[in-house]
C-alpha cells in the first residue's frame, strides 16, 4: 500500500497528457500546485560559453561571495579543512559566469593517525587546482547510470515497472522477485546501504553476493539509499545491451556530448591533472591502498575493476556543466540529443511521494536543502558524491552549480556535513534577481539563519471595520522550518495575533491562508495578497520572518503595501511620507 504514491507518477503538459516509455507507464495531469505550475526552462539546444554575471542574468556580488565562502573552508572548519581544494562552476542559461579553482589538487602524501595531521608533499610536488582538474565523482556517477537506464527505457529495451528478475533471472533470489527497475532508480528496493563486496575474491563472487542479498523489507515500503541499487542496474544494462558500462558511458553520453574529460579508469597520463583523494588504510578504509590518486576511491568500485554503477566516473567541472545544461535543455546539447524531453521530465519527477523528505526522481535527488541550500525547490535536481562532489540543477531559474572538492584528502574523517555545498548554493540562489513587483525596490527579508526579521507599518485607525491590506508577496523558504507571518497588535505591540489572508499567483485562484502564514515554495513568482484587518483605533501591523539554524530558502519579498477602507486610503507605500514610517528590522529595500 505504501508503494501506491510512487506509482502515481505524473507531470503536467507531457505530450498530450499521456506518454508511454517502453510500454510501462501512462501519465495524467498533476493536481494544481506550485511545483506543477512552474514549467522547466526551455533552453532548446543551448550550448555553454564563458561570460559575465550580467551575460547570465545574474548578480555579480553574490558570485564573488560564493568564492569567498568556498575559500573559507580551506581553513579549519571547524577542526580540519573541509577540502584541500575545489573547482567551483556556476551559471545560468548558456553562460558559465563563474569557473574558479581554489586550493590544492594534491597536497598530502599520507595521513598520520597518531597526530591526526596530514603529511604534506614537498612544496614543489604539490599541485594546485585548475579549471580542468579531474575529480573522482563518487556517487555522482549514479546519474550517468540512471541516464543510461532511461535511454534504454526510451528504446523499449527496459520497462520501468518490469521486475529486475525478468532481465536477470538470478536476481529474484532471496525475496527480490518483485523489485522493479523503478525501485532501483528511486532507492525503494529494500536493499541495505551497502555490503563489502571487496572481500569477495572474484568478480563472479561479488555479483553473487548481490544476487543472494535479502532485502531489509518489501520493495516500495521504505526509502533506503543503497549503492547496491545502481550496481544491480549496471548488471541489467550490461545484460540487455551486451556492452559494458564504461562502453555505454562513452557511446551514449560522453562521446555525443563532447565530454572528453569524463570516463571510468582514467589513463596514467591523466594523473597530474587529477585531484588526489585518501590515504586509504584500515581501519578507516576497507582496503590498504595508501594514497589513492588517479584510481577510484570507493572500495567496492575499485574491487569491481573501477567500473561500477554507483561510483567510478571521473570528470571535470566543465563536462559536468555540459551534462547539466543538456538536462536543462530537455535532453539536447548543440546538435546532439541523448534523451527525449519527456524522459528528462520523468527523471525530475518525484516518485517518492510516499516518503516526504526523500523526494527522488529517476536517479536524481529532488528538493534537498541539506546540499542544495536555497536553490532547492520541488523541481531542483542533483546529487552528491562522498569524495566532496556535487551537481545541482534548478529548472525554475535555468541555473546550475558544480562544486567539486577533494574532501577526503588526506582522510575521510576530516570532512563533515555539506556546509560548502550549501554556502555555494545559497550564493547562486541569491545571484538570481527577484525584480520588484512595482517600482524600483521591494522589501527583502534577507537569507540569514537563526534570525527573526520584522517589517512593521505605523499604527492605523481601522475602527471603521472595513480596512483591508493589499500587497505583493514573494516567498521561498525552507518548508515548515522557516515561516513568514502576518500579525496585528491592538495594544501597542505588547501582544500579537495572526491575521489570515489570501494569496493568488498570476492566473491562479485565491488560496486562503487561515493561519496568517506561508512557508515553502511559492513558485518563485509574485502573488497578490489581501487581508481583512481587525477594527482598532491604533492597529499595528507587521510581517515577521523567522528562520532556524540549519538551512534557508531564497527569502521573502513584500511590495506595494496599501491599506484602505471604504472611506479612503490609510496607508500607501507609494507615498513617500507613508513609506518613511515603515519600521524594518532585518528587512532591507532591494532592487533585486
Amino acid at each position: 500500500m505504501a508503494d501506491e504514491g510512487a506509482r502515481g507518477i505524473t507531470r503536467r503538459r507531457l505530450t498530450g497528457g499521456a506518454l508511454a516509455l517502453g510500454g510501462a507507464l501512462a501519465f495524467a495531469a498533476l493536481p494544481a500546485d506550485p511545483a506543477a505550475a512552474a514549467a522547466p526552462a526551455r533552453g532548446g539546444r543551448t550550448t555553454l560559453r564563458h561570460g559575465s554575471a550580467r551575460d547570465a542574468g545574474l548578480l555579480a556580488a553574490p558570485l564573488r561571495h560564493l568564492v569567498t565562502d568556498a575559500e573559507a573552508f580551506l581553513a579549519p572548519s571547524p577542526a580540519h579543512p573541509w577540502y584541500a581544494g575545489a573547482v567551483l562552476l556556476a551559471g545560468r542559461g548558456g553562460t558559465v559566469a563563474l569557473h574558479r579553482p581554489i586550493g590544492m589538487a594534491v597536497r598530502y602524501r599520507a595521513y598520520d593517525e597518531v597526530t591526526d595531521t596530514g603529511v604534506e608533499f614537498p612544496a614543489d610536488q604539490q599541485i594546485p587546482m585548475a579549471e580542468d582538474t579531474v575529480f573522482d565523482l563518487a556517487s555522482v556517477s549514479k546519474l550517468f547510470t540512471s541516464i543510461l537506464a532511461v535511454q534504454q527505457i526510451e528504446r523499449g529495451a527496459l520497462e520501468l515497472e518490469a521486475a529486475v528478475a525478468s532481465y536477470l533471472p538470478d536476481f529474484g533470489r532471496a525475496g527480490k522477485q518483485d523489485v522493479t527497475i523503478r525501485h532501483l532508480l528511486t532507492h525503494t528496493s529494500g536493499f541495505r546501504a551497502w555490503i563489502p563486496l571487496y572481500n569477495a575474491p572474484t568478480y563472479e563472487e561479488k555479483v553473487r553476493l548481490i544476487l543472494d542479498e535479502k532485502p531489509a523489507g518489501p520493495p516500495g515500503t521504505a526509502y533506503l539509499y543503497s549503492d547496491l541499487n545502481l550496481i544491480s542496474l549496471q548488471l541489467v544494462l550490461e545484460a540487455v545491451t551486451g556492452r559494458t558500462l564504461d562502453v555505454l558511458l562513452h557511446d551514449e553520453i560522453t562521446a555525443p556530448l563532447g565530454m572528453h574529460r569524463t570516463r571510468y579508469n582514467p589513463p596514467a597520463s591523466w594523473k597530474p591533472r587529477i585531484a588526489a583523494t585518501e590515504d586509504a588504510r584500515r581501519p578507516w578504509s576497507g582496503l590498504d591502498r595508501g594514497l589513492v590518486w588517479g584510481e577510484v576511491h570507493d572500495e567496492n568500485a575499485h574491487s569491481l575493476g573501477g567500473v561500477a554503477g554507483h561510483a567510478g566516473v571521473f570528470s571535470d567541472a566543465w563536462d559536468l556543466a555540459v551534462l547539466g545544461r543538456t538536462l536543462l535543455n530537455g535532453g539536447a546539447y548543440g546538435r546532439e540529443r541523448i534523451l527525449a524531453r519527456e524522459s528528462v521530465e520523468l527523471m525530475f519527477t518525484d516518485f517518492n511521494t510516499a516518503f516526504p523528505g526523500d523526494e527522488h526522481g529517476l536517479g536524481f535527488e529532488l528538493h534537498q536543502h541539506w546540499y542544495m541550500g536555497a536553490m532547492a525547490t520541488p523541481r531542483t535536481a542533483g546529487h552528491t558524491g562522498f569524495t566532496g562532489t556535487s551537481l545541482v540543477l534548478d529548472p525554475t531559474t535555468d541555473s546550475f552549480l558544480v562544486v567539486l572538492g577533494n574532501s577526503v584528502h588526506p582522510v575521510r574523517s576530516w570532512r563533515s556535513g555539506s556546509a560548502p555545498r550549501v554556502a555555494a548554493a545559497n550564493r547562486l540562489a541569491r545571484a538570481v534577481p527577484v525584480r520588484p513587483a512595482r517600482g524600483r525596490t521591494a522589501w527583502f527579508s534577507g537569507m540569514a539563519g537563526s534570525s527573526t526579521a520584522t517589517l512593521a507599518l505605523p499604527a492605523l485607525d481601522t475602527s471603521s471595520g472595513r480596512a483591508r491590506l493589499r500587497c505583493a508577496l514573494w516567498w521561498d523558504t525552507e518548508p515548515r522550518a522557516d515561516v513568514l507571518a502576518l500579525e496585528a497588535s491592538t495594544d501597542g505591540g505588547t501582544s500579537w495575533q495572526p491575521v489570515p489572508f489570501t494569496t493568488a499567483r498570476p492566473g491562479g485562484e485565491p488560496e486562503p491562508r487561515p493561519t496568517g502564514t506561508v512557508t515553502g515554495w511559492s513558485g518563485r513568482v509574485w502573488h497578490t495578497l489581501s487581508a481583512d484587518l481587525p477594527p482598532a483605533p491604533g492597529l499595528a501591523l507587521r510581517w515577521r520572518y523567522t528562520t532556524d539554524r540549519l538551512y534557508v530558502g531564497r527569502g521573502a519579498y513584500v511590495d506595494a503595501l496599501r491599506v484602505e477602507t471604504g472611506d479612503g486610503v490609510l496607508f500607501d507605500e507609494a507615498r513617500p511620507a507613508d513609506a518613511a514610517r515603515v519600521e524594518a528590522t532585518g528587512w532591507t529595500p532591494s532592487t533585486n
Side-chain angles (χ1 to χ4, degrees):
M1 198 67 179
D3 204 32
E4 290 183 1
R7 291 181 181 273
I9 51 169
T10 58
R11 178 62 65 199
R12 270 191 174 182
R13 292 184 294 278
L14 290 179
T15 53
L19 169 72
L21 292 183
L25 295 173
F27 292 82
L30 271 178
D33 64 9
R42 301 299 181 183
R45 293 174 179 264
T46 302
T47 57
L48 294 178
R49 64 193 181 279
H50 284 103
S52 66
R54 183 183 181 90
D55 294 334
L58 297 170
L59 305 175
L63 292 184
R64 291 194 297 270
H65 287 302
L66 190 159
V67 176
T68 303
D69 289 349
E71 288 174 335
F73 291 99
L74 295 170
S77 49
H80 299 288
W82 200 87
Y83 38 41
V87 178
L88 316 166
L89 186 149
R92 190 181 185 197
T95 302
V96 173
L98 171 68
H99 191 181
R100 184 74 62 85
I102 61 172
M104 305 302 293
V106 181
R107 180 175 177 180
Y108 304 101
R109 62 179 176 83
Y111 168 68
D112 185 340
E113 66 270 29
V114 175
T115 61
D116 189 26
T117 58
V119 182
E120 295 189 359
F121 280 106
D124 62 350
Q125 295 179 32
Q126 296 183 27
I127 302 175
M129 286 291 182
E131 287 185 352
D132 62 351
T133 295
V134 172
F135 288 77
D136 176 348
L137 297 183
S139 284
V140 175
S141 305
K142 292 179 171 71
L143 299 181
F144 292 93
T145 309
S146 302
I147 290 170
L148 293 170
V150 173
Q151 287 177 333
Q152 295 304 315
I153 293 171
E154 274 189 14
R155 298 168 190 176
L158 291 180
E159 292 189 5
L160 195 58
E161 297 299 336
V164 177
S166 65
Y167 306 102
L168 295 173
D170 289 343
F171 185 89
R173 299 200 293 261
K176 299 191 298 298
Q177 66 277 0
D178 294 327
V179 173
T180 67
I181 299 298
R182 173 172 57 81
H183 291 136
L184 297 182
L185 284 163
T186 58
H187 295 282
T188 55
S189 67
F191 270 134
R192 54 178 160 160
W194 74 291
I195 53 178
L197 302 178
Y198 50 82
N199 286 333
T202 67
Y203 181 87
E204 291 73 21
E205 289 178 85
K206 299 177 201 300
V207 171
R208 189 175 300 115
L209 286 174
I210 297 173
L211 299 178
D212 290 342
E213 177 72 7
K214 182 179 180 179
T221 59
Y223 172 85
L224 178 59
Y225 181 85
S226 173
D227 289 346
L228 304 183
N229 289 315
L230 276 295
I231 299 174
S232 299
L233 192 59
Q234 171 190 1
L235 300 177
V236 171
L237 287 168
E238 293 179 341
V240 301
T241 66
R243 290 178 283 173
T244 57
L245 192 64
D246 54 338
V247 173
L248 284 169
L249 175 72
H250 174 269
D251 293 352
E252 304 293 350
I253 300 178
T254 63
L257 297 180
M259 296 170 60
H260 302 306
R261 304 283 288 180
T262 304
R263 59 170 294 163
Y264 287 101
N265 288 328
S269 60
W270 283 27
K271 186 173 180 179
R273 305 298 289 180
I274 296 176
T277 53
E278 187 176 33
D279 179 11
R281 289 180 282 121
R282 292 182 173 92
W284 57 86
S285 173
L287 297 171
D288 288 314
R289 299 170 62 193
L291 179 63
V292 179
W293 178 15
E295 295 182 341
V296 63
H297 171 262
D298 181 89
E299 294 96 332
N300 280 341
H302 173 71
S303 76
L304 290 167
V307 179
H310 72 296
V313 176
F314 285 71
S315 187
D316 68 1
W318 185 268
D319 272 14
L320 270 189
V322 168
L323 180 70
R325 185 67 260 163
T326 301
L327 295 167
L328 290 170
N329 286 348
Y333 188 84
R335 297 180 179 180
E336 298 294 332
R337 177 171 290 280
I338 64 166
L339 287 171
R341 184 177 295 278
E342 293 81 5
S343 296
V344 178
E345 284 279 336
L346 197 65
M347 298 188 81
F348 288 10
T349 294
D350 181 19
F351 283 71
N352 287 357
T353 54
F355 314 116
D358 294 316
E359 292 85 349
H360 215 288
L362 298 184
F364 279 86
E365 297 169 335
L366 305 173
H367 205 196
Q368 298 298 310
H369 281 81
W370 67 270
Y371 71 91
M372 298 175 179
M375 290 181 70
T377 78
R379 296 278 296 154
T380 304
H383 215 287
T384 64
F386 184 77
T387 50
T389 58
S390 61
L391 171 67
V392 180
L393 309 174
D394 179 9
T396 66
T397 61
D398 204 25
S399 57
F400 47 92
L401 174 65
V402 179
V403 177
L404 299 181
N406 53 351
S407 64
V408 298
H409 184 54
V411 69
R412 66 189 68 186
S413 60
W414 278 18
R415 54 157 291 175
S416 61
S418 272
R421 296 168 175 143
V422 171
N426 286 350
R427 292 299 187 182
L428 181 54
R430 180 67 182 92
V432 178
V434 177
R435 304 301 183 193
R438 182 187 304 170
R440 299 184 62 183
T441 63
W443 289 103
F444 175 44
S445 67
M447 296 171 58
S450 297
S451 67
T452 297
T454 57
L455 182 70
L457 273 62
L460 303 172
D461 184 358
T462 60
S463 55
S464 68
R466 295 178 295 167
R468 170 166 288 199
L469 168 70
R470 298 183 188 276
C471 67
L473 187 63
W474 190 107
W475 72 94
D476 176 13
T477 81
E478 184 190 2
R480 297 171 297 279
D482 301 342
V483 177
L484 177 65
L486 179 62
E487 299 172 325
S489 174
T490 58
D491 55 13
T494 301
S495 61
W496 295 87
Q497 294 77 41
V499 178
F501 56 87
T502 62
T503 59
R505 59 185 303 128
E509 294 296 320
E511 183 174 353
R513 309 285 180 174
T515 62
T517 63
V518 289
T519 186
W521 190 61
S522 70
R524 287 187 173 161
V525 296
W526 283 97
H527 293 234
T528 57
L529 176 145
S530 63
D532 292 325
L533 303 180
L539 183 75
L541 196 65
R542 74 177 184 184
W543 288 104
R544 180 173 54 85
Y545 181 55
T546 57
T547 60
D548 70 357
R549 67 178 182 84
L550 291 178
Y551 312 112
V552 296
R554 179 61 174 77
Y557 290 80
V558 175
D559 198 8
L561 288 158
R562 181 181 174 93
V563 179
E564 56 189 16
T565 68
D567 299 327
V569 177
L570 297 181
F571 178 90
D572 189 344
E573 191 185 5
R575 300 188 302 210
D578 283 358
R581 299 164 65 199
V582 175
E583 295 183 4
T585 302
W587 292 71
T588 57
S590 176
T591 59
N592 45 56

